[in-house]
Every structure is written in structure tokens, then in C-alpha cells.
Amino acid sequence: MIDRRLILGGTRSIEKLAGRIWRRIFPAGRRRGRARASSLDLDKIGDPLPFGRMICCRRANLFRLCSCLRFLGYSMILIVATVVALSYYAVVVVAWGPLLFSARSSSSLAIFIVIIFHLLLILMTWSYVTVVVKDPGSVPENWRPVLDEESGQASEMDTASDANAERTSGTRYCTRCRNYKPPRCHHCSVCQQCVLKMDHHCIWVVNCVGARNYKSFCLFLMYAFLETCLDTVVLVPRFIKFFQEAQSHSTSPSNLAVVFLAFVLNLAFALSLLCFLIMHTSLLLSNTTTIEVYEKRGLPRWKYDLGKRKNFEQVFGTNRALWLFPLYTSDDQQSLSSLQALEFPTRPDDDG
Ligand SMILES: [Zn+2]
Ligand SMILES: [Zn+2]
């Protein structure tokens, strides 16, 4: 009898603990939001599915998996830090650092390589940290479209009719955040909020890439590509030399392994980053986000495309001196509408 009570008590404690962990991971607001969104989505569809199949759809809500991506993201930061630390050890400590103070002619080359390596590392880390910590762009609370105010509809729309606003007036409304969506804004199911000029949710930076951190993201891609290319190129001669010395057993096998691993990882990252860099350069110059690539399919012309120079300045700012840094002038921060991201300039032929 006592044993049974003990077992029952233990089971209840475990249930309480599991409940506490569940509530910590999914706070009440979010759980209600998801449930409401799920039911609203099904309300929109109507009820075309048999009851049993509808239950299956609710259970197989794929957006719940998005919450897992947030936890995966933190391990991605660890992976980035590990690759950087490994590359630093291979390039600076093992391969080129020992040549810095040698009397041979290779010392000047070693000094040059080590300086460039550190310069790129500082710029890459600065851009990366900025993307991770900077708000990608949150919609101001109770923001309403200007279009409605002009037509006198905004004051007439009460909270009850907000959910139907998208259908009745053509404005965009987020049923999860219970707020209007400015143009080019999208809801992120991982961050659980609407993001201004959302490009995509990036698990490598555990953040969304949006209007206010897209420049830092592009700079991170560029510096990471240059850094990995530099590492790959400068490790080749040292790797060949180490391999020759390893055959005569005059070099440490662990150092040879570290140099080899760093070479392979940097080569793989350089090739992947090159693809992303080409893709985002094309998107940047056409003033398109990754999401909008699908939205603009079939359109005769893209209304936000203002020409390559202006498209570039919309993201990188108008001050050339700051183009290579994840910074904006205070003038740009106040006057650049693409950073406020609530409304965007369009092509003159699309104004009407
Ligand atoms: Zn939203
Ligand atoms: Zn996100």
C-alpha cells in the first residue's frame, strides 16, 4: 500500500515537473495564440475535411516544429564558434604564426596573412554579432495602414472586425499578433512575431533577417566568404609541407589532423557561402526578399525595383564610408524609409 502511494506521488511529481517545463517552453499567450491561429485557419478553409481527418491536421501542425528550430539555433552558434576557433588554431598557431619571427623571407608573407586574417575575423564577428542581437524589425503596437485613415475606415474598424479586415478592405492582418501588417511584412513562426521586410529566419544566427539587420547579414556573408577563402588558400602550402614532414615523422600527427580538418571545413563553407552570396547579391540589387521571390512570380515588373544603385542604398545606406561596416548614419536611420520599413518607395510608373 505504502509502495503504491509512493509510486503515485512520484508519478504526480514527474507530471508537475513536465507541466512546468512545458509551460516554460510554451508560455500561455503563445499556446493560446497558436490554438486560436489554428482554429482561425481552419475556419477560413471552412470544413471541407471529415472530422477525424481534421483532428489529424490539428495534431500534425508543422508550425509547432518551428519552435524546435529556436533550440537548434543555439547549437549552430556553437558550431560557428568551433569552426572559427579551429581555423584560428590551424592558420595562426600551427601554420603561419611560427614563421612570424623567423629570419627567412616567408616572415613578411606570414605577417601579411596574419594581419588580413585578424582584420577579416574582426569584421566578420562584428557583423555576425549584430545580426544575432539586433531587432530585425518589429511592427509598432496598434500600427494601422495609412490607406485606411485616408478613406476614413480606420476609426470605424473595431477589434471584432479586425480579423476580417484583410477580406473586406484588402489590408493585411496577422491573426496571431492581432495587428495589421505593413507592406512586405511577414509573420515568423519561429520568433512568434511579425517581422518588417522579413527575408527569412536564419538558424545560423538564431534570429530573423529583416529590414534592420539585412545589411549586417550581407556583410557577414561577404566577410565569412573572404575569411574561409583566405584560410583555404593559405592552408594548402602548409598542408602539403606538413604531409611531407609527416612521412618523415618530423611533425605532430595532431597538428596535421587539425590543419587537414580546418582545410576541408573552410573549403566546404567557402563553396556554400559563395552560393548564398550570389543569391543575396541578386536579391539586393533587385530590391527583393527571399520570400518575395515567390510573390513576384508572374508579375510583369516588381514595383519596389528602383534601379541597382537605389536598391543597394535602401539596404546599405547612402554614406559610402559606412558601406563596409554594420552601421548607419543617424540621418539614414531617420530618413531611410526602408529602415523604418512601414512604407516603401515604389517605381514612378507604379504609383497609381
Ligand atoms: Zn504576426
Ligand atoms: Zn524568425
Side-chain angles (χ1 to χ4, degrees):
M1 190 66 183
I2 293 167
D3 288 342
R4 205 176 160 192
R5 265 188 228 149
L6 275 173
I7 290 165
L8 279 171
T11 312
R12 276 175 198 148
S13 308
I14 291 166
E15 280 174 2
K16 276 184 189 171
L17 182 66
R20 272 206 297 273
I21 293 169
W22 177 256
R23 282 192 291 277
R24 179 73 61 85
I25 296 171
F26 302 112
R30 285 180 185 165
R31 275 182 283 132
R32 272 200 302 274
R34 260 196 297 272
R36 189 169 50 240
S38 170
S39 58
L40 278 171
D41 289 345
L42 287 166
D43 289 347
K44 271 185 192 171
I45 296 165
D47 193 12
L49 303 172
F51 182 73
R53 212 173 138 200
M54 196 171 87
I55 296 292
C56 286
C57 287
R58 281 173 191 270
R59 279 179 187 165
N61 186 354
L62 290 176
F63 286 109
R64 289 188 180 187
L65 293 175
C66 294
S67 301
C68 301
L69 290 177
R70 205 176 318 151
F71 300 105
L72 181 69
Y74 294 107
S75 58
M76 290 302 195
I77 291 183
L78 263 180
I79 292 172
V80 172
T82 308
V83 173
V84 170
L86 187 79
S87 304
Y88 191 93
Y89 183 79
V91 175
V92 178
V93 179
V94 179
W96 291 94
L99 299 175
L100 283 176
F101 306 104
S102 70
R104 287 179 291 177
S105 58
S106 54
S107 73
S108 51
L109 180 63
I111 291 169
F112 176 75
I113 286 170
V114 169
I115 289 173
I116 297 292
F117 179 92
H118 281 91
L119 195 66
L120 287 173
L121 183 64
I122 290 166
L123 290 167
M124 183 185 78
T125 310
W126 185 9
S127 306
Y128 183 72
V129 171
T130 309
V131 189
V132 172
V133 300
K134 199 167 185 178
D135 174 24
S138 312
V139 182
E141 209 173 332
N142 298 323
W143 178 86
R144 289 187 172 230
V146 178
L147 190 67
D148 288 340
E149 286 170 7
E150 282 173 353
S151 61
Q153 290 177 358
S155 57
E156 292 165 17
M157 282 181 188
D158 57 14
T159 314
S161 64
D162 277 348
N164 295 319
E166 186 169 348
R167 278 176 253 173
T168 56
S169 65
T171 54
R172 300 165 72 234
Y173 186 80
C174 180
T175 50
R176 296 180 187 194
C177 302
R178 306 189 80 180
N179 204 1
Y180 286 98
K181 285 157 101 177
R184 312 182 80 179
C185 169
H186 292 276
H187 185 89
C188 175
S189 298
V190 184
C191 299
Q192 296 285 339
Q193 64 165 12
C194 279
V195 176
L196 296 170
K197 201 190 169 193
M198 181 180 168
D199 191 272
H200 67 287
H201 183 91
C202 181
I203 54 170
W204 291 96
V205 300
V206 208
N207 199 0
C208 256
V209 177
R212 291 176 197 155
N213 62 355
Y214 188 55
K215 179 187 180 183
S216 309
F217 177 76
C218 291
L219 286 174
F220 167 65
L221 282 184
M222 184 181 78
Y223 291 130
F225 172 68
L226 292 175
E227 181 79 297
T228 48
C229 281
L230 175 79
D231 293 356
T232 308
V233 171
V234 301
L235 282 176
V236 170
R238 305 308 299 167
F239 176 66
I240 294 169
K241 188 170 179 291
F242 279 173
F243 195 73
Q244 287 166 348
E245 286 174 1
Q247 284 179 327
S248 58
H249 304 286
S250 61
T251 190
S252 152
S254 59
N255 280 349
L256 181 69
V258 168
V259 170
F260 177 72
L261 188 60
F263 172 75
V264 171
L265 282 175
N266 276 284
L267 180 64
F269 273 100
L271 292 173
S272 313
L273 285 163
L274 178 64
C275 299
F276 279 110
L277 204 56
I278 291 170
M279 186 183 97
H280 279 283
T281 305
S282 158
L283 292 175
L284 175 70
L285 296 179
S286 60
N287 204 344
T288 312
T289 64
T290 306
I291 294 172
E292 288 168 348
V293 169
Y294 300 97
E295 289 179 0
K296 71 183 231 187
R297 271 183 191 166
L299 294 175
R301 59 179 176 270
W302 183 236
K303 66 177 179 179
Y304 299 114
D305 188 357
L306 308 170
K308 286 178 184 170
R309 172 74 185 231
K310 282 190 178 172
N311 293 343
F312 180 83
E313 285 180 351
Q314 291 268 304
V315 176
F316 276 72
T318 51
N319 190 328
R320 286 183 185 188
L322 295 183
W323 279 355
L324 293 177
F325 307 103
L327 295 170
Y328 291 102
T329 59
S330 53
D331 278 354
D332 275 348
Q333 276 179 330
Q334 285 166 6
S335 63
L336 215 58
S337 57
S338 56
L339 288 181
Q340 307 302 323
L342 297 173
E343 53 187 26
F344 297 88
T346 51
R347 294 163 62 113
D349 51 346
D350 266 287
D351 277 348

